[in-house]
Amino acid sequence: MPKLFIPEVIEPDEKLPADLVALRHFARLMDEAVPIPGMKKRIGLDAALSLIPGVGEVIGGLLSTWIIVGALRHRVPMTRIGRMVLYILLDMSIGSIPVVGTIFDWLFEENVINLNALLLHRDRTRPPRSFKAIAGAAVIILVVILGFSMLLLAGLVAAIIWITSKR
């Protein structure tokens, strides 16, 4: 007999642990804080940070790791956490392209996507891990995102030097 898949319903705030409610508010702040007049689309702090050349994407990416730490705490499978990290790296890399990156940041809501993945894939059968239990993995993920951001900044500086030397 084939296995029947019934998707889980994401709980309302009053049924979630306090740390997940805080992460939900954070994701909305980062991606959906302000409505765009005349459109159904909303933008957040991540899109505003993308307007700061060079460092805005780095700040947004580092802030976004908070959701990944929550995913580690709530026992989301590592394959899903890897995908969550890739979404942040994708947002940082495409978001660093002038004009196109800003538009991409307005359209791609990686914090909301990552939060929904956390809520859907967390292990509800076991208690959340302590910060001590996830500290090593959290530091590794933070170092990966920091290293990637340093590469992006180095690429930006190299591009500026190359463009100015061609004049």
Side-chain angles (χ1 to χ4, degrees), residues 50-116:
S50 73
L51 298 173
I52 304 171
V55 296
E57 292 302 324
V58 174
I59 294 168
L62 291 175
L63 288 172
S64 295
T65 59
W66 186 24
I67 295 173
I68 294 177
V69 170
L72 289 167
R73 177 171 154 68
H74 287 277
R75 302 176 187 270
V76 171
M78 287 308 289
T79 54
R80 182 61 58 174
I81 288 175
R83 188 179 298 172
M84 294 166 78
V85 171
L86 285 175
Y87 288 152
I88 292 173
L89 297 178
L90 176 70
D91 181 60
M92 287 173 60
S93 59
I94 295 176
S96 64
I97 301 169
V99 182
V100 172
T102 302
I103 294 168
F104 179 78
D105 270 335
W106 292 352
L107 300 175
F108 184 66
E109 300 177 341
E110 94 273 359
N111 293 295
V112 170
I113 293 168
N114 283 346
L115 178 74
N116 289 337

Side-chain angles (χ1 to χ4, degrees), residues 58 62 89 92 139-155:
V58 174
L62 291 175
L89 297 178
M92 287 173 60
V139 167
I140 290 170
I141 289 170
L142 189 60
V143 166
V144 166
I145 290 174
L146 267 173
F148 188 79
S149 59
M150 292 301 126
L151 286 173
L152 281 176
L153 288 175

